[in-house]
Amino acid sequence: MGTSLELLQGTLDLLVLKALSWEPLHGYAVATWIRDHSDAEFLIEEGALYPALHRLERRGWVESEWGVSENNRRAKYYRLTSKGRAQLRSEVTMWERYVSAVGRVLKTAQR
Amino acid sequence: MASFRKLFRLIGREPSPADDIAAEFEAHLELKVEALIREGLSPAEARREAEKSFGPKARFAAECGVIDRAERRERRWRESISGALQDLRQAVRALIRSPGFALTTILVLAAGIGLNATVFALLRGVVLRPLPFPHSDRLVAVHSSNPVSGWPEFSVSPPDFLDWSREAKTMSAMVAWNTDYVAATGSGPAEEVPIAAVTAGFLAVTGVAPTLGRSFNPGEFERGGPRVVLLSYGVWAGRFGRDPHVVGGRWTLDGESYEILGVMPSGFTFPIDRIGAWVPFRMPENVARQRGAHYLEVAGRLADAATLDRARAELVTLAARIEKDFPASSTGWTVLVRPLHEEVVRDARPTLLLLMTGVGLLLVLACVNVANLVLVRSIGRGGEVALRSALGAGRARLLWHGASEVLVLLAASALLALPIAALGTGLVRKFAPAGVPRIESVGIDPVAMLFTLGTTAIAALLVGLAPARRIARADVRQALAVGGSRSLGARRGSHRWIVALETAVALALLSVAGVLIKTRERLNVVDPGFDRSATLVADLSLPDKRYPTGDALSRFQDDLLGRLRALPGVESASLIFGLPLTDFGFSSSFTIDSVPVPDDVHQSAQLRLASAEYFNVQRIPVLQGRGFTAEDRRGGRRVALVSAAAARRFWPDGKVLGHWVRMSASPGDDSPSGEIVGIVGDVREERLDAPPRPIVYFSSDQTTVSYVTLALRVRGTPLALAPELRRIVTALDPELPLSRVRSMDDVVRAATASYGFRAWVMGFFALLAASLAGIGVYGVISHIVAQRSREMGLRRALGASDRQVVREVVGSGMRDAAVGAVAGLGLGWLITLKLGDLLFQVKPGDPVVLGIVAVLFLGITLLGCWLPARRAARNDPALVLRGE
């Protein structure tokens, strides 16, 4: 792999929301999911997920509760709320618009 | 699993954010370590690698900490708000379920708060409000003063005024005035209008310009200048219908035509009475010779840099110089300076402060009663408090819960108090005694509403204090034990305080009301020196234009009296210049047998002019010699009568008749004078609560005056004759206004109106207080009896007699009442000490009054203690014990 990309804070939130959109996960699982689904392109300090998760919880997009993890240990699970789901949808839309706009500009510049 | 978290929260053992985060991070690291171990690393290496890929743990922990703590704070805040609202809703529901309790307390509190707001609005509108002039705190009233002669406050003579206003540097402007009543005709029915003739400083001193037209020009104050008049807003609205073109029009006053210069703004009044119009004051021709003629009122505006003290000092110095320069007229005369505002309110202030004290005490009483009710109610709910406390409710939350009912009650009371206060001020405006300054504009305004809120807050504190203290000290375990709700009952101590406090307040108010009522009674039985029954009086103002000479006046008056005597309803008819008890003061120094009076001696008496039958009409006895007869005609031998007080004072040797008196007030030959032909009985013509002043009477035939009062003794009711009277006057002269037609009873009542007002209002407050206190004591004792019913039942079952039980309850209640009574009588005495002039022939600690009041109230208290005790004694002890 070449240089790993650094993530911006807003994008991290988006990825976390997406990660949680299938099922509740604990922090470690989210980290794993992002790594796996991005082919390890992103360089994240795993701990950076936690401020993001707490922030998302404060905004009401996710909610948390303590549960039992796969290795029978206590872990804090995060789940997407309906508000969070809506937020995810709108952010994805925004992202796609953003990407295509930037792409358009970049394509023309190549002339 | 979610409920697990919530359960934690309920029990109040939520883990701290820091612990929570640390646990979360640790869980993550463990998972990572396990995964790395599975990949083949050693545990120690796995741990190192895990920590490395985690990143700066402390920093992330700190960030999460900030977020979590903020969240928690917000959540707690939201929860307490919603909890508080829930408590309020619950409180409202609980109150709706007990309508009796709710309505009683709301009414009692609303009455207490509303009454306070009313009196406050009164105090503010009449006393505290500044005068309606710009920088009114710079305005002062200036009086001449001769304390040695018994005239501490007197009118000012024109030359004195001129000298002061010319020379006083501490005054930027001064104005003098004279008030008068004139007959206004034209553009309306003949009407009597009070006017003020003012000097040129009028605009400068008041600082208020007319809203329409202009103020006076200097030329209009000169003798011979044009006759001009400034209208008051009231006259402009009432008589001229707010006509915008009134300026330049004309108005006839006392037969003379005046040009209307302008209209003063609404709410402006000067000096302070209901003046209808202002005209320029013309200095008399030989003004310099009038230094001894005091008839002007004076006010001034302080110069910018001046203070009241400096102005006072300067004027006193000026007066001293005048005294030196003109010993004949000015010996003993100095100056009295007072802020104008003080001048206006000094009469009303003591009464209003008294009322404020009264309603304040009433509010305390109302709050104590309500507090007791609330306390009793909260006792029954002790178990609920304990449960909440056990479930983790903090102290603040418990207090709020307990207080929420009180708050709802007070909010409702405050809302109800406002219309009560508005009603109260309306009633006061209608029924207040005459002469209360500025009463028309008293009303409930934003400041009064703020005051209401403040009072409500204080009431809330007073009412909520006792239950709050109980909650603060509640022992949870004890409350949850069996029989808990009763054992959380207030200790007997607080109930005893309530009995004592209520007794104290009621007795304080009763004793104050008692002395005021006694004052009123004393005034009623004071002999004024005349017989006030069956007497009709009316004021008559004869304009100079149509009655220019003494002869013309005399002819008219004779004619009028003759026609009046002919009426079947009239026993006798007379005229008097200076009806008693009408605020009429016309005193003059005089000489006896032309013996000059030394400069430092003041020999003066009240001057009155009376027609022959006056003394019959008023039934004033002739003590020596004779009264005026029909022979004492105009142009005949001049005669005079003196009152007994004058005889005693100026002729101590008793030889009165035959001396010649001359009133030397007005220089020149037409000073009233005459030979004393009789002594008549004293008349308290100034005020009923002061000794009679010396009076010298002259015949109104021999000395005529254009403003007189008719006094008729009638058969039957005085006012029934009023239409006849008007008819006869109009028949003689249709343009003559007859004003203030009333009975002598009315005059006396008006003179003592403020005493009556105080007696009635404080009596009302005292009655309210006695009722509230009586009910309160009854309630408290009933409650104590109910609380101790087990104990008493037991004792009776063990052989104690009914009488013993009753005696014990009554005894303890009366002991507390006695303590309160002593305190209350003491407080009442302190208040009456400050009453001073408001009392008449009653000393503050009047034992008869205090005795009656104490016995009365202790009787009520006795009843309040005895009734519940008797009820308790009649209960079957077996039932009581079983009922537990």
Side-chain angles (χ1 to χ4, degrees):
Chain A
M1 201 76 43
T3 10
S4 306
L5 301 173
E6 294 208 1
L7 263 183
L8 302 167
Q9 185 181 306
T11 351
L12 179 58
D13 289 356
L14 176 56
L15 297 181
V16 169
L17 285 176
K18 187 67 182 177
L20 296 176
S21 64
W22 277 275
E23 53 170 347
L25 297 173
H26 53 62
Y28 182 71
V30 170
T32 317
W33 186 94
I34 293 177
R35 194 192 55 210
D36 293 345
H37 285 75
S38 69
D39 289 334
E41 280 273 15
F42 290 125
L43 169 75
I44 0 168
E45 289 169 318
E46 289 167 9
L49 283 174
Y50 287 96
L53 283 165
H54 283 233
R55 224 179 5 253
L56 291 174
E57 183 175 16
R58 182 136 162 73
R59 284 187 159 132
W61 296 336
V62 306
E63 55 188 14
S64 70
E65 61 180 342
W66 282 93
V68 180
S69 68
E70 48 276 13
N71 63 346
N72 272 324
R73 295 207 134 83
R74 279 184 74 219
K76 201 174 187 190
Y77 280 81
Y78 291 85
R79 175 178 0 129
L80 210 56
T81 62
S82 46
K83 265 173 70 180
R85 226 168 264 287
Q87 180 69 15
L88 175 59
R89 272 199 299 277
S90 84
E91 280 207 32
V92 165
T93 314
M94 293 291 292
W95 175 261
E96 285 167 353
R97 279 175 60 190
Y98 173 76
V99 161
S100 77
V102 171
R104 273 203 301 279
V105 169
L106 289 181
K107 279 205 191 71
T108 59
Q110 270 177 357
R111 212 181 294 136
Chain B
M1 281 203 255
S3 49
F4 197 52
R5 180 77 162 278
K6 291 203 180 106
L7 189 60
F8 265 127
R9 283 221 285 266
L10 181 64
I11 298 181
R13 274 185 278 151
E14 208 177 350
S16 74
D19 290 344
D20 209 50
I21 292 164
E24 197 179 8
F25 286 9
E26 192 51 37
H28 177 113
L29 288 169
E30 280 174 8
L31 285 166
K32 181 82 181 183
V33 163
E34 282 178 19
L36 287 174
I37 288 179
R38 275 200 296 278
E39 285 175 19
L41 272 66
S42 77
E45 285 172 339
R47 183 80 202 182
R48 267 200 307 276
E49 187 58 35
E51 300 247 353
K52 188 159 137 239
S53 68
F54 193 86
K57 203 160 72 160
R59 194 185 69 180
F60 294 140
E63 280 179 43
C64 291
V66 167
I67 297 170
D68 281 2
R69 274 195 301 276
E71 175 64 21
R72 245 173 230 224
R73 263 200 312 272
E74 223 179 75
R75 193 177 29 123
R76 286 216 176 103
W77 178 244
R78 275 196 307 265
E79 276 175 3
S80 58
I81 297 270
S82 85
L85 282 175
Q86 193 186 36
D87 279 339
L88 277 178
R89 274 197 297 271
Q90 242 187 345
V92 171
R93 279 199 296 267
L95 285 174
I96 292 179
R97 278 198 300 269
S98 327
F101 166 78
L103 278 173
T104 316
T105 52
I106 291 176
L107 275 172
V108 167
L109 284 173
I113 297 174
L115 276 176
N116 265 279
T118 304
V119 175
F120 174 77
L122 257 182
L123 189 65
R124 191 157 160 271
V126 171
V127 173
L128 298 175
R129 201 160 39 111
L131 295 174
F133 310 117
H135 302 291
S136 62
D137 55 322
R138 310 290 294 165
L139 294 179
V140 297
V142 182
H143 298 281
S144 284
S145 171
N146 195 328
V148 165
S149 303
W151 291 323
E153 215 175 291
F154 209 69
S155 317
V156 176
S157 69
D160 282 351
F161 164 71
L162 288 173
D163 286 345
W164 299 342
S165 62
R166 200 178 43 237
E167 305 198 12
K169 294 192 185 43
T170 53
M171 294 285 188
S172 66
M174 289 180 81
V175 63
W177 68 90
N178 207 4
T179 53
D180 201 1
Y181 288 95
V182 293
T185 49
S187 73
E191 186 188 10
E192 196 191 57
V193 176
I195 64 165
V198 296
T199 60
F202 179 59
L203 183 61
V205 169
T206 59
V208 177
T211 50
L212 270 184
R214 63 169 176 85
S215 187
F216 303 118
N217 283 338
E220 283 149 0
F221 293 95
E222 313 267 328
R223 244 186 326 280
R227 291 187 203 274
V228 289
V229 64
L230 272 177
L231 301 180
S232 72
Y233 191 86
V235 159
W236 180 57
R239 204 177 166 85
F240 293 89
R242 291 211 183 90
D243 176 7
H245 304 291
V246 76
V247 175
R250 303 206 76 91
W251 196 21
T252 312
L253 301 170
D254 267 358
E256 299 283 357
S257 173
Y258 285 73
E259 182 194 340
I260 298 174
L261 277 192
V263 179
M264 297 306 281
S266 166
F268 176 83
T269 175
F270 184 89
I272 202 64
D273 295 295
R274 292 154 222 253
I275 297 291
W278 294 268
V279 296
F281 179 83
R282 303 265 161 76
M283 283 289 165
E285 195 155 332
N286 38 7
V287 64
R289 302 218 328 241
Q290 289 206 341
R291 210 169 272 280
H294 298 255
Y295 57 90
L296 292 177
E297 305 298 324
V298 173
R301 185 177 275 279
L302 291 173
D304 279 334
T307 65
L308 180 63
D309 288 330
R310 295 231 321 263
R312 195 178 274 135
E314 186 183 21
L315 283 172
V316 165
T317 313
L318 275 176
R321 208 193 64 204
I322 292 174
E323 190 185 11
K324 202 158 64 83
D325 290 343
F326 301 97
S329 55
S330 306
T331 307
W333 286 98
T334 178
V335 172
L336 176 68
V337 179
R338 195 187 279 138
L340 193 60
H341 181 257
E342 175 72 19
E343 188 90 353
V344 169
V345 304
R346 55 203 302 250
D347 284 337
R349 192 175 25 213
T351 302
L352 285 176
L353 287 179
L354 173 68
L355 290 189
M356 199 84 229
T357 310
V359 283
L361 285 175
L362 259 183
L363 184 66
V364 168
L365 194 51
C367 288
V368 169
N369 260 349
V370 170
N372 188 36
L373 285 175
V374 169
L375 198 65
V376 167
R377 193 175 156 82
S378 74
I379 283 170
R381 312 236 288 273
E384 184 186 340
V385 171
L387 191 63
R388 283 179 174 241
S389 173
L391 283 177
R395 193 63 58 86
R397 189 64 204 280
L398 284 176
L399 277 173
W400 173 262
H401 173 68
S404 49
E405 261 190 31
V406 169
L407 287 169
V408 171
L409 282 173
L410 276 156
S413 307
L415 278 175
L416 187 57
L418 283 173
I420 290 182
L423 181 68
T425 49
L427 281 173
V428 165
R429 272 201 305 271
K430 203 158 163 211
F431 292 107
V436 179
R438 319 198 276 176
I439 188 126
E440 309 84 37
S441 48
V442 164
I444 300 295
D445 62 348
V447 174
M449 290 200 242
L450 263 172
F451 175 83
T452 309
L453 241 76
T455 332
T456 311
I458 295 179
L461 268 171
L462 286 174
V463 170
L465 206 62
R469 277 179 67 224
R470 277 192 55 242
I471 288 170
R473 294 190 296 177
D475 185 325
V476 171
R477 266 193 318 257
Q478 185 194 32
L480 285 179
V482 168
S485 56
R486 265 222 293 283
S487 66
L488 246 193
R491 297 177 330 203
R492 226 173 300 158
S494 54
H495 285 305
R496 298 182 65 186
W497 269 105
I498 291 178
V499 170
L501 193 57
E502 299 212 352
T503 314
V505 171
L507 269 165
L509 283 174
L510 279 169
S511 49
V512 172
V515 294
L516 288 173
I517 292 175
K518 185 166 177 194
T519 296
R520 177 92 176 84
E521 285 315 297
R522 292 253 138 248
L523 270 177
N524 267 346
V525 302
V526 153
D527 178 12
F530 55 87
D531 180 349
R532 61 197 261 194
S533 65
T535 310
L536 181 66
V537 298
D539 291 342
L540 207 55
S541 174
L542 297 153
D544 289 337
K545 192 113 180 270
R546 285 204 307 287
Y547 303 90
T549 61
D551 285 332
L553 284 170
S554 201
R555 263 198 310 275
F556 176 83
Q557 290 168 2
D558 278 344
D559 213 348
L560 178 60
L561 287 178
R563 291 193 192 202
L564 288 172
R565 275 187 210 110
L567 287 177
V570 173
E571 222 179 85
S572 42
S574 67
L575 293 172
I576 175 77
F577 173 65
L579 189 68
L581 298 178
T582 51
D583 248 353
F584 189 95
F586 194 110
S587 76
S588 168
S589 29
F590 61 92
T591 55
I592 304 173
D593 299 328
S594 303
V595 172
V597 177
D599 283 344
D600 54 350
V601 169
H602 278 271
Q603 188 167 274
S604 69
Q606 290 291 316
L607 170 65
R608 296 287 184 270
L609 305 173
S611 71
E613 288 191 26
Y614 174 69
F615 301 95
N616 289 348
V617 168
Q618 295 263 40
R619 304 252 208 268
I620 299 173
V622 175
L623 301 173
Q624 242 191 70
R626 64 172 180 84
F628 292 141
T629 62
E631 272 85 54
D632 302 313
R633 300 254 41 160
R634 194 168 177 72
R637 193 166 125 254
R638 305 182 67 119
V639 291
L641 298 171
V642 296
S643 72
R648 279 194 303 271
R649 165 106 150 251
F650 300 110
W651 293 274
D653 59 3
K655 296 193 176 47
V656 183
L657 304 184
H659 289 288
W660 187 271
V661 290
R662 175 191 214 85
M663 311 306 274
S664 49
S666 27
D669 272 14
D670 51 6
S671 322
S673 60
E675 178 189 331
I676 302 178
V677 295
I679 305 181
V680 291
D682 276 329
V683 169
R684 286 182 202 245
E685 36 70 45
E686 185 197 7
R687 36 192 308 176
L688 286 180
D689 53 352
R693 302 190 288 191
I695 307 178
V696 177
Y697 296 91
F698 293 95
S699 162
S700 61
D701 247 356
Q702 296 180 338
T703 308
T704 49
V705 74
S706 56
Y707 189 88
V708 288
T709 305
L710 279 169
L712 311 171
R713 179 154 288 273
V714 306
R715 302 186 177 95
T717 341
L719 284 173
L721 217 72
E724 290 273 300
L725 175 60
R726 275 190 223 276
R727 194 179 46 81
I728 289 188
V729 170
T730 319
L732 273 178
D733 184 344
E735 286 193 12
L736 207 57
L738 195 67
S739 58
R740 278 186 297 284
V741 180
R742 60 224 193 277
S743 72
M744 203 59 206
D745 265 331
D746 292 335
V747 172
V748 176
R749 248 198 302 273
T752 56
S754 48
Y755 289 93
F757 178 72
R758 279 189 293 272
W760 271 103
V761 173
M762 287 308 284
F764 172 64
F765 289 167
L767 202 65
L768 266 183
S771 318
L772 276 178
I775 293 173
V777 167
Y778 175 81
V780 167
I781 302 290
S782 297
H783 178 71
I784 290 181
V785 159
Q787 282 233 292
R788 297 174 56 197
S789 58
R790 276 187 75 210
E791 174 197 336
M792 292 202 282
L794 204 60
R795 284 171 56 195
R796 284 180 48 234
L798 288 175
S801 75
D802 289 358
R803 296 238 322 263
Q804 276 179 317
V805 169
V806 168
R807 229 203 328 259
E808 208 223 302
V809 170
V810 170
S812 100
M814 290 309 288
R815 268 196 300 278
D816 298 330
V819 168
V822 168
L825 288 174
L827 179 62
W829 178 68
L830 278 174
I831 296 176
T832 51
L833 274 181
K834 295 299 195 81
L835 288 182
D837 282 340
L838 270 49
L839 297 179
F840 174 64
Q841 289 184 359
V842 180
K843 278 208 305 291
D846 190 310
V848 172
V849 169
L850 294 188
I852 294 178
V853 149
V855 164
L856 201 72
F857 189 70
L858 287 177
I860 296 179
T861 320
L862 188 63
L863 206 65
C865 293
W866 183 69
L867 283 174
R870 201 170 70 115
R871 241 206 348 250
R874 284 201 297 194
N875 286 343
D876 184 348
L879 275 175
V880 172
L881 288 173
R882 232 183 291 134
E884 180 34 58

